[in-house]
Amino acid sequence: MTDDPFDDLDPDPFLAHRSLLFTVAYELLGSAADAEDVVQETWLRWAEVDRAAVREPRAYLVRVVTRQALNRLRTVSRRREDYVGEWLPEPLLTSPDVAEDVELAESVSIAMLTVLETLGPTERAVLVLHEVFDVPYDEIAEAVGKTTAAVRQIAHRAREHVAARRPRTVVSRTEQQQVVERFLAAVTAGDVLGLLDVLAPDVVVVADGGGLAPAARRPVAGRERVANALSRFASFAPQVEITTLLVNGAVAARIDPGGEFDTAITFVVEDGRIARIYAIRNPDKLGRLDEVAQLRR
């Protein structure tokens, strides 16, 4: 076996489950860069283990990646407290297969990952492992260092917490595309009435510049405020190129003023209107949108 697991052609369980491990780590961390580090740390531990003693490699690897992700999450949580402005997850370019898997698409959406940020590390791990990846409570208990009974209680509290904050409805990709295209047409035309028609009354815009790109430090709420602000976009960037793509399992927009990638925007669509807009402008978070991420459950 070579030192680099990604060049190894043997039917190694780690390689077979690598996409799953990355998806688990990404959903726990909201950062592809941190998830990749955690997957690499998992490989190092896998390389040292006595394979003959591992009866269920998938369960073992998920347990290891969860522990590593929890360690990383506790570290980055402190770092995010000092983040400049609003922190949003790192967006990923995803395939149509992810969008068609409704549960996976919802679980990796920027909206859901933002909600998961409001949970504690253990709550987040318990919820993600059980609700998204169908990991039994006893296996989760071993991964997070709790009793099975405690994990069941944590899962119940986490479900209630998330249910109160998650998007209310799941809409088809076709509806997402139609609503997003209406929105983009209104933005590029500076059409205030068009924006008022496509935005929900209580729409909220959250932007993440990380102190490295101009962005509102706090969320902007309300249809009139958002529409008036966005209607000026065309005058600021008259030659801008805006394209749609699939980001984190949903229809999103990519803004390229002057031919340079500038912003990724994802949306929450409810009742035919846009209820939330997430604008990721931090350049350190935009490097994963040129290659499709391998996500799976």
Side-chain angles (χ1 to χ4, degrees), residues 226-254:
V226 172
N228 286 332
L230 292 176
S231 67
R232 298 192 291 272
F233 176 81
S235 61
F236 289 135
Q239 303 300 319
V240 70
E241 179 182 350
I242 304 179
T243 54
T244 59
L245 66 170
L246 291 175
V247 169
N248 290 62
V251 178
R254 170 177 173 147

Side-chain angles (χ1 to χ4, degrees), residues 102-126:
V102 175
E103 289 187 4
L104 179 59
E106 183 191 19
S107 71
V108 299
S109 69
I110 296 295
M112 179 56 75
L113 292 174
T114 303
V115 171
L116 292 177
E117 281 292 311
T118 65
L119 292 172
T122 301
E123 291 176 310
R124 183 169 183 166
V126 168

Side-chain angles (χ1 to χ4, degrees), residues 56-131:
E56 297 182 16
R58 181 184 185 276
Y60 175 85
L61 289 166
V62 168
R63 187 161 64 246
V64 173
V65 84
T66 298
R67 288 173 178 166
Q68 297 304 314
L70 283 173
N71 291 339
R72 180 65 61 96
L73 185 57
R74 294 181 178 107
T75 300
V76 300
S77 293
R78 291 189 290 271
R79 193 167 71 220
R80 288 172 191 172
E81 291 176 1
D82 299 324
Y83 194 78
V84 177
E86 295 290 320
W87 184 93
L88 289 174
E90 182 180 356
L92 298 176
L93 183 65
T94 49
S95 68
D97 289 345
V98 173
E100 289 165 9
D101 184 336
V102 175
E103 289 187 4
L104 179 59
E106 183 191 19
S107 71
V108 299
S109 69
I110 296 295
M112 179 56 75
L113 292 174
T114 303
V115 171
L116 292 177
E117 281 292 311
T118 65
L119 292 172
T122 301
E123 291 176 310
R124 183 169 183 166
V126 168
L127 185 76
V128 166
L129 291 176
H130 190 261
E131 299 297 312

